[in-house]
Coordinates of all heavy atoms in Angstrom, one line a residue:
W837 N 0.8 -1.1 0.0 CA 0.1 0.0 0.0 C 0.9 1.3 0.0 O 0.3 2.4 -0.1 CB -0.9 0.0 1.2 CG -1.9 -1.1 1.1 CD1 -2.3 -1.8 0.0 CD2 -2.8 -1.6 2.1 NE1 -3.3 -2.7 0.2 CE2 -3.6 -2.5 1.6 CE3 -2.9 -1.3 3.3 CZ2 -4.6 -3.2 2.3 CZ3 -3.9 -1.9 4.1 CH2 -4.7 -2.9 3.6
V838 N 2.1 1.0 0.0 CA 3.1 2.2 -0.1 C 3.8 2.0 -1.5 O 4.0 1.0 -2.0 CB 4.0 2.2 1.2 CG1 3.3 2.5 2.4 CG2 4.8 1.0 1.2
N839 N 4.4 3.2 -1.8 CA 5.1 3.3 -3.0 C 6.6 3.0 -2.7 O 7.4 3.8 -2.6 CB 4.8 4.5 -3.8 CG 5.4 4.5 -5.1 OD1 5.7 3.5 -5.6 ND2 5.5 5.7 -5.8
A840 N 6.9 1.6 -2.5 CA 8.3 1.4 -2.2 C 9.2 1.4 -3.4 O 8.8 1.1 -4.5 CB 8.3 0.0 -1.5
D841 N 10.4 1.6 -3.1 CA 11.5 1.6 -4.2 C 11.7 0.2 -4.7 O 12.2 -0.6 -4.0 CB 12.8 2.2 -3.7 CG 13.9 2.2 -4.8 OD1 13.6 2.2 -5.9 OD2 15.0 2.4 -4.3
P842 N 11.3 -0.1 -5.9 CA 11.4 -1.5 -6.4 C 12.8 -1.9 -6.5 O 13.1 -3.1 -6.8 CB 10.9 -1.4 -7.8 CG 10.8 0.0 -8.2 CD 10.8 0.8 -7.1
F843 N 13.8 -1.1 -6.5 CA 15.3 -1.5 -6.5 C 16.0 -1.6 -5.2 O 17.1 -2.0 -5.1 CB 16.1 -0.4 -7.3 CG 15.5 -0.3 -8.8 CD1 14.9 0.8 -9.2 CD2 15.7 -1.3 -9.7 CE1 14.3 0.8 -10.4 CE2 15.2 -1.3 -11.0 CZ 14.5 -0.2 -11.4
H844 N 15.2 -1.4 -4.0 CA 15.7 -1.6 -2.8 C 15.9 -3.0 -2.6 O 15.1 -3.9 -2.8 CB 14.9 -0.9 -1.7 CG 15.4 -0.8 -0.4 ND1 15.5 -1.8 0.5 CD2 16.1 0.1 0.3 CE1 16.1 -1.6 1.7 NE2 16.5 -0.2 1.4
P845 N 17.0 -3.5 -1.9 CA 17.3 -5.0 -1.7 C 16.2 -5.6 -0.8 O 15.8 -6.7 -1.2 CB 18.6 -5.0 -1.1 CG 19.3 -3.7 -1.3 CD 18.2 -2.7 -1.6
L846 N 15.7 -4.9 0.1 CA 14.6 -5.6 1.0 C 13.4 -5.7 0.2 O 12.7 -6.7 0.3 CB 14.4 -4.7 2.3 CG 13.4 -5.2 3.2 CD1 13.9 -6.5 3.8 CD2 13.3 -4.2 4.4
V847 N 12.9 -4.8 -0.6 CA 11.8 -4.9 -1.5 C 11.9 -6.0 -2.4 O 10.9 -6.8 -2.6 CB 11.5 -3.6 -2.1 CG1 10.3 -3.7 -3.1 CG2 11.2 -2.4 -1.1
R848 N 13.1 -6.1 -3.0 CA 13.3 -7.2 -3.9 C 13.3 -8.6 -3.3 O 12.8 -9.5 -3.8 CB 14.6 -7.0 -4.7 CG 14.7 -5.8 -5.5 CD 16.0 -5.6 -6.2 NE 16.1 -6.5 -7.3 CZ 16.2 -6.2 -8.5 NH1 16.3 -4.9 -8.9 NH2 16.3 -7.1 -9.5
A849 N 13.9 -8.7 -2.0 CA 13.9 -10.0 -1.3 C 12.4 -10.4 -0.9 O 12.0 -11.5 -1.1 CB 14.8 -9.8 -0.1
L850 N 11.6 -9.5 -0.5 CA 10.3 -9.7 -0.2 C 9.4 -10.2 -1.4 O 8.6 -11.1 -1.3 CB 9.6 -8.4 0.5 CG 10.0 -8.3 2.0 CD1 9.4 -7.0 2.4 CD2 9.7 -9.4 2.9
G851 N 9.7 -9.5 -2.4 CA 9.0 -9.9 -3.7 C 9.4 -11.2 -4.1 O 8.5 -12.1 -4.5
A852 N 10.7 -11.6 -4.0 CA 11.1 -12.9 -4.4 C 10.5 -14.1 -3.5 O 10.3 -15.2 -3.9 CB 12.6 -13.0 -4.4
L853 N 10.4 -13.7 -2.2 CA 9.7 -14.6 -1.3 C 8.3 -14.9 -1.4 O 7.8 -15.9 -1.2 CB 10.2 -14.3 0.1 CG 11.5 -14.4 0.5 CD1 11.8 -13.7 2.0 CD2 12.0 -15.8 0.6
T854 N 7.6 -13.8 -1.6 CA 6.2 -13.8 -1.7 C 5.5 -14.2 -3.1 O 4.4 -14.7 -3.1 CB 5.5 -12.5 -1.2 OG1 5.9 -11.4 -2.0 CG2 5.9 -12.3 0.2
E855 N 6.2 -13.8 -4.2 CA 5.6 -14.0 -5.5 C 5.2 -15.5 -5.9 O 4.3 -15.7 -6.5 CB 6.6 -13.4 -6.5 CG 5.9 -13.1 -7.9 CD 4.7 -12.3 -7.8 OE1 4.7 -11.4 -7.0 OE2 3.8 -12.6 -8.6
P856 N 6.1 -16.5 -5.4 CA 5.7 -17.8 -5.8 C 4.4 -18.2 -5.1 O 3.6 -19.0 -5.7 CB 6.8 -18.7 -5.3 CG 8.0 -17.7 -5.2 CD 7.5 -16.4 -4.9
L857 N 4.0 -17.7 -3.9 CA 2.8 -18.0 -3.2 C 1.6 -17.1 -3.9 O 0.5 -17.7 -4.0 CB 3.0 -17.7 -1.7 CG 1.8 -18.1 -0.9 CD1 1.4 -19.5 -1.0 CD2 1.9 -17.6 0.5
L858 N 1.9 -15.9 -4.3 CA 0.8 -15.0 -4.6 C 0.5 -15.2 -6.0 O -0.7 -14.9 -6.4 CB 1.1 -13.7 -4.3 CG 1.4 -13.3 -2.8 CD1 1.7 -11.8 -2.6 CD2 0.1 -13.5 -2.1
S859 N 1.4 -15.6 -7.0 CA 1.2 -15.6 -8.4 C 0.0 -16.5 -8.8 O -0.8 -16.1 -9.7 CB 2.4 -15.8 -9.2 OG 2.9 -17.1 -8.8
P860 N -0.2 -17.7 -8.2 CA -1.3 -18.5 -8.7 C -2.6 -17.9 -8.4 O -3.6 -18.0 -9.1 CB -1.1 -19.9 -7.8 CG 0.2 -19.9 -7.5 CD 0.7 -18.4 -7.3
F861 N -2.7 -17.1 -7.2 CA -4.0 -16.5 -6.8 C -4.2 -15.2 -7.7 O -5.4 -14.9 -8.1 CB -3.9 -16.1 -5.4 CG -3.9 -17.3 -4.5 CD1 -2.7 -17.5 -3.7 CD2 -5.1 -18.1 -4.3 CE1 -2.7 -18.7 -3.0 CE2 -5.0 -19.2 -3.5 CZ -3.9 -19.4 -2.8
R862 N -3.2 -14.6 -8.2 CA -3.3 -13.3 -9.2 C -3.8 -14.0 -10.5 O -4.4 -13.2 -11.1 CB -2.0 -12.8 -9.3 CG -1.6 -11.8 -8.1 CD -0.5 -10.8 -8.4 NE -0.2 -10.1 -7.2 CZ 1.0 -10.2 -6.7 NH1 1.9 -10.9 -7.1 NH2 1.1 -9.5 -5.6
R863 N -3.5 -15.2 -10.8 CA -3.9 -15.7 -12.1 C -5.4 -16.0 -12.0 O -6.2 -15.8 -13.0 CB -3.2 -17.0 -12.5 CG -1.8 -16.6 -13.1 CD -1.3 -17.8 -13.8 NE -1.1 -19.0 -12.9 CZ 0.1 -19.2 -12.2 NH1 1.1 -18.3 -12.4 NH2 0.2 -20.2 -11.4
L864 N -5.9 -16.4 -10.8 CA -7.3 -16.8 -10.6 C -8.1 -15.5 -10.5 O -9.3 -15.5 -11.0 CB -7.4 -17.6 -9.3 CG -7.0 -19.0 -9.3 CD1 -7.0 -19.7 -7.9 CD2 -7.7 -19.9 -10.4
A865 N -7.6 -14.5 -9.8 CA -8.4 -13.2 -9.7 C -7.4 -12.1 -9.9 O -6.9 -11.4 -9.1 CB -9.0 -13.1 -8.3
P866 N -7.2 -11.7 -11.2 CA -6.3 -10.7 -11.5 C -6.8 -9.3 -11.1 O -8.0 -9.1 -11.0 CB -6.2 -10.8 -13.0 CG -7.2 -11.6 -13.6 CD -7.8 -12.5 -12.4
P867 N -6.0 -8.4 -10.6 CA -6.4 -7.1 -10.1 C -7.2 -6.3 -11.1 O -8.3 -5.6 -10.8 CB -5.2 -6.3 -9.8 CG -4.2 -7.4 -9.6 CD -4.5 -8.6 -10.5
W868 N -7.1 -6.5 -12.4 CA -7.9 -5.8 -13.4 C -9.3 -6.2 -13.4 O -10.2 -5.6 -14.0 CB -7.2 -5.7 -14.7 CG -6.9 -7.1 -15.4 CD1 -5.8 -7.8 -15.2 CD2 -7.8 -7.9 -16.2 NE1 -5.9 -9.1 -15.9 CE2 -7.2 -9.1 -16.5 CE3 -9.2 -7.7 -16.7 CZ2 -7.8 -10.1 -17.3 CZ3 -9.7 -8.7 -17.5 CH2 -9.0 -9.9 -17.7
K869 N -9.5 -7.6 -12.9 CA -10.9 -8.0 -12.9 C -11.6 -7.7 -11.6 O -12.8 -7.8 -11.5 CB -10.9 -9.6 -13.2 CG -10.7 -10.0 -14.6 CD -10.9 -11.5 -14.6 CE -10.9 -12.0 -16.1 NZ -11.2 -13.3 -16.2
T870 N -10.9 -7.3 -10.6 CA -11.5 -7.0 -9.3 C -11.4 -5.5 -9.0 O -11.2 -5.1 -7.8 CB -10.6 -7.8 -8.2 OG1 -9.3 -7.5 -8.1 CG2 -10.9 -9.3 -8.4
G871 N -11.5 -4.7 -10.0 CA -11.5 -3.2 -9.8 C -10.2 -2.6 -9.4 O -10.2 -1.6 -8.7
G872 N -9.1 -3.2 -9.7 CA -7.7 -2.8 -9.4 C -7.3 -3.3 -8.0 O -6.2 -2.9 -7.7
L873 N -8.1 -4.0 -7.3 CA -7.7 -4.4 -5.9 C -7.1 -5.8 -6.1 O -7.8 -6.8 -6.6 CB -8.9 -4.6 -5.0 CG -8.7 -4.7 -3.6 CD1 -7.8 -3.7 -2.9 CD2 -10.1 -4.9 -3.0
D874 N -5.8 -6.0 -5.5 CA -5.2 -7.2 -5.6 C -5.6 -8.1 -4.3 O -5.2 -7.8 -3.1 CB -3.7 -7.0 -5.4 CG -2.8 -8.2 -5.7 OD1 -3.5 -9.4 -6.0 OD2 -1.6 -8.3 -5.5
L875 N -6.5 -9.1 -4.6 CA -6.9 -10.0 -3.5 C -6.1 -11.1 -3.2 O -6.4 -12.0 -2.3 CB -8.4 -10.3 -3.8 CG -9.4 -9.2 -3.9 CD1 -10.8 -9.8 -4.4 CD2 -9.5 -8.4 -2.6
S876 N -5.0 -11.3 -4.0 CA -4.2 -12.4 -3.8 C -3.6 -12.7 -2.4 O -3.6 -13.8 -1.9 CB -3.1 -12.5 -4.8 OG -2.2 -11.4 -4.7
P877 N -3.2 -11.6 -1.6 CA -2.7 -11.9 -0.3 C -3.8 -12.4 0.6 O -3.6 -13.3 1.4 CB -2.3 -10.5 0.2 CG -1.9 -9.7 -1.0 CD -3.0 -10.4 -2.1
L878 N -5.0 -12.0 0.4 CA -6.1 -12.5 1.1 C -6.4 -13.9 0.9 O -6.6 -14.7 1.8 CB -7.5 -11.6 1.0 CG -8.7 -12.1 1.5 CD1 -8.6 -11.9 3.0 CD2 -9.9 -11.4 1.0
F879 N -6.4 -14.3 -0.4 CA -6.7 -15.7 -0.7 C -5.5 -16.6 -0.2 O -5.8 -17.7 0.2 CB -6.9 -15.9 -2.3 CG -8.1 -15.2 -2.8 CD1 -8.0 -14.6 -4.0 CD2 -9.2 -15.2 -2.2 CE1 -9.2 -14.0 -4.5 CE2 -10.4 -14.7 -2.6 CZ -10.4 -14.1 -3.9
A880 N -4.3 -16.1 -0.3 CA -3.2 -16.9 0.2 C -3.2 -17.0 1.7 O -3.1 -18.2 2.2 CB -1.8 -16.1 -0.2
M881 N -3.6 -16.1 2.5 CA -3.7 -16.3 4.0 C -4.9 -17.2 4.3 O -4.7 -18.0 5.2 CB -3.9 -14.9 4.6 CG -2.7 -14.0 4.6 SD -2.9 -12.5 5.6 CE -4.0 -11.6 4.6
L882 N -6.0 -17.1 3.6 CA -7.1 -18.0 3.8 C -6.7 -19.4 3.5 O -7.0 -20.4 4.3 CB -8.3 -17.6 3.0 CG -9.0 -16.4 3.5 CD1 -10.2 -16.0 2.5 CD2 -9.7 -16.6 4.9
T883 N -6.0 -19.6 2.4 CA -5.6 -20.9 2.1 C -4.6 -21.5 3.2 O -4.7 -22.7 3.5 CB -4.8 -21.0 0.6 OG1 -5.8 -20.5 -0.3 CG2 -4.4 -22.3 0.3
L884 N -3.7 -20.7 3.6 CA -2.7 -21.1 4.6 C -3.5 -21.5 5.9 O -3.1 -22.5 6.5 CB -1.6 -20.1 4.9 CG -0.7 -19.9 3.7 CD1 0.2 -18.7 4.0 CD2 0.2 -21.2 3.5
E885 N -4.4 -20.8 6.3 CA -5.3 -21.0 7.5 C -6.0 -22.3 7.3 O -6.1 -23.1 8.2 CB -6.3 -19.9 7.8 CG -5.6 -18.6 8.2 CD -5.1 -18.8 9.7 OE1 -5.7 -19.6 10.6 OE2 -4.0 -18.3 10.1
L886 N -6.7 -22.5 6.1 CA -7.4 -23.8 5.9 C -6.4 -25.0 6.0 O -6.8 -26.0 6.5 CB -8.1 -23.7 4.5 CG -9.3 -22.8 4.5 CD1 -9.9 -22.8 3.1 CD2 -10.4 -23.4 5.4
L887 N -5.2 -24.9 5.4 CA -4.2 -25.9 5.4 C -3.8 -26.1 6.9 O -3.8 -27.3 7.4 CB -3.0 -25.6 4.7 CG -3.1 -25.7 3.2 CD1 -1.8 -25.2 2.4 CD2 -3.4 -27.2 2.8
E888 N -3.7 -25.1 7.7 CA -3.4 -25.3 9.2 C -4.5 -26.0 9.9 O -4.2 -26.8 10.7 CB -3.1 -23.9 9.8 CG -2.6 -24.0 11.2 CD -2.4 -22.6 11.9 OE1 -2.5 -21.6 11.1 OE2 -2.1 -22.6 13.0
W889 N -5.7 -25.6 9.5 CA -6.9 -26.2 10.3 C -7.0 -27.6 10.0 O -7.5 -28.4 10.8 CB -8.1 -25.5 9.9 CG -8.3 -24.2 10.5 CD1 -7.6 -23.6 11.6 CD2 -9.3 -23.2 10.2 NE1 -8.1 -22.3 11.8 CE2 -9.1 -22.1 11.0 CE3 -10.3 -23.2 9.3 CZ2 -9.8 -20.8 10.8 CZ3 -11.1 -22.0 9.1 CH2 -10.8 -20.9 10.0
F890 N -6.8 -28.1 8.7 CA -7.2 -29.4 8.3 C -5.9 -30.3 8.1 O -6.0 -31.5 8.5 CB -7.9 -29.4 7.0 CG -9.3 -28.7 7.1 CD1 -9.5 -27.5 6.5 CD2 -10.3 -29.3 7.9 CE1 -10.8 -26.8 6.7 CE2 -11.5 -28.7 8.1 CZ -11.7 -27.5 7.5
L891 N -4.8 -29.8 7.5 CA -3.8 -30.6 7.1 C -3.0 -31.0 8.4 O -2.6 -32.2 8.6 CB -2.8 -29.9 6.1 CG -1.7 -30.7 5.6 CD1 -2.1 -32.0 4.8 CD2 -0.9 -29.9 4.7
I892 N -2.7 -30.1 9.2 CA -1.9 -30.4 10.4 C -2.5 -31.4 11.3 O -1.9 -32.3 11.7 CB -1.4 -29.2 11.1 CG1 -0.4 -28.4 10.3 CG2 -0.8 -29.4 12.5 CD1 0.0 -27.0 10.7
P893 N -3.8 -31.2 11.7 CA -4.4 -32.3 12.6 C -4.5 -33.7 11.8 O -4.4 -34.6 12.6 CB -5.9 -31.6 12.8 CG -5.7 -30.2 12.6 CD -4.7 -30.0 11.5
A894 N -4.7 -33.6 10.5 CA -4.7 -35.0 9.8 C -3.3 -35.6 9.9 O -3.3 -36.8 10.1 CB -5.2 -34.7 8.3
L895 N -2.3 -34.8 9.8 CA -0.9 -35.4 9.9 C -0.7 -35.9 11.3 O 0.0 -37.0 11.6 CB 0.1 -34.4 9.6 CG 0.1 -33.9 8.1 CD1 1.1 -32.8 7.7 CD2 0.4 -35.2 7.2
Y896 N -1.1 -35.2 12.3 CA -0.9 -35.7 13.7 C -1.8 -36.9 13.9 O -1.3 -37.8 14.6 CB -1.4 -34.5 14.7 CG -0.5 -33.5 15.0 CD1 -0.7 -32.2 14.9 CD2 0.8 -33.9 15.7 CE1 0.2 -31.2 15.2 CE2 1.7 -33.0 16.1 CZ 1.5 -31.6 15.8 OH 2.3 -30.6 16.1
D897 N -2.9 -37.0 13.3 CA -3.7 -38.2 13.5 C -3.0 -39.4 12.7 O -3.0 -40.5 13.4 CB -5.1 -38.0 12.9 CG -6.0 -39.1 13.2 OD1 -6.0 -39.7 14.4 OD2 -6.8 -39.6 12.1
I898 N -2.4 -39.2 11.6 CA -1.7 -40.2 11.0 C -0.5 -40.7 11.7 O -0.1 -41.8 11.9 CB -1.4 -39.8 9.5 CG1 -2.6 -39.7 8.7 CG2 -0.3 -40.8 8.9 CD1 -2.3 -39.0 7.3
A899 N 0.3 -39.7 12.4 CA 1.4 -40.0 13.2 C 1.0 -40.8 14.3 O 1.7 -41.7 14.8 CB 2.1 -38.8 13.6
N900 N -0.1 -40.5 15.0 CA -0.6 -41.3 16.2 C -1.0 -42.6 15.9 O -0.8 -43.5 16.7 CB -1.7 -40.5 16.9 CG -1.2 -39.3 17.7 OD1 0.0 -39.2 18.0 ND2 -2.1 -38.3 17.8
R901 N -1.5 -42.9 14.7 CA -1.9 -44.2 14.3 C -0.6 -45.1 14.0 O -0.8 -46.4 14.2 CB -2.8 -44.2 13.1 CG -4.1 -43.6 13.3 CD -5.0 -43.7 12.0 NE -6.2 -42.7 12.1 CZ -6.9 -42.6 11.2 NH1 -6.7 -43.1 10.0 NH2 -8.0 -41.8 11.4
I902 N 0.4 -44.5 13.6 CA 1.5 -45.3 13.3 C 2.2 -45.8 14.5 O 2.6 -46.9 14.6 CB 2.6 -44.5 12.6 CG1 2.0 -44.2 11.2 CG2 4.0 -45.1 12.4 CD1 2.9 -43.3 10.3
H903 N 2.2 -45.0 15.6 CA 2.8 -45.5 16.9 C 1.9 -46.2 17.7 O 1.1 -46.4 18.3 CB 3.3 -44.2 17.6 CG 4.6 -43.6 17.0 ND1 4.5 -42.7 16.0 CD2 5.9 -43.9 17.4 CE1 5.7 -42.5 15.7 NE2 6.6 -43.0 16.4

């Protein structure tokens, strides 16, 4: 939401870290179709939350069954 310098090393590092996660969501809901609003961070956070709610308990359950 700020106009950060795209050549600053920290901005470039953050972009390199977040772009692999955000780009699939940007393809599903490109900002030009959502009135210029980039919803990809919201979708990424919701997806991560859903994975945390369902995947982690399922993995714990599988681990408990093995022992």
Side-chain angles (χ1 to χ4, degrees):
W837 294 343
V838 296
N839 191 12
D841 178 18
F843 299 107
H844 191 278
L846 183 60
V847 174
R848 295 178 76 117
L850 285 174
L853 289 172
T854 59
E855 194 58 34
L857 181 63
L858 296 178
S859 63
F861 297 107
R862 282 196 185 115
R863 282 193 299 270
L864 292 174
W868 57 270
K869 284 189 174 181
T870 57
L873 187 61
D874 186 8
L875 298 175
S876 60
L878 175 67
F879 293 144
M881 288 188 293
L882 286 173
T883 301
L884 290 173
E885 283 294 321
L886 287 173
L887 284 173
E888 183 180 355
W889 287 347
F890 296 112
L891 184 62
I892 292 175
L895 291 174
Y896 275 122
D897 188 40
I898 291 169
N900 285 332
R901 288 182 195 174
I902 292 173
H903 285 86

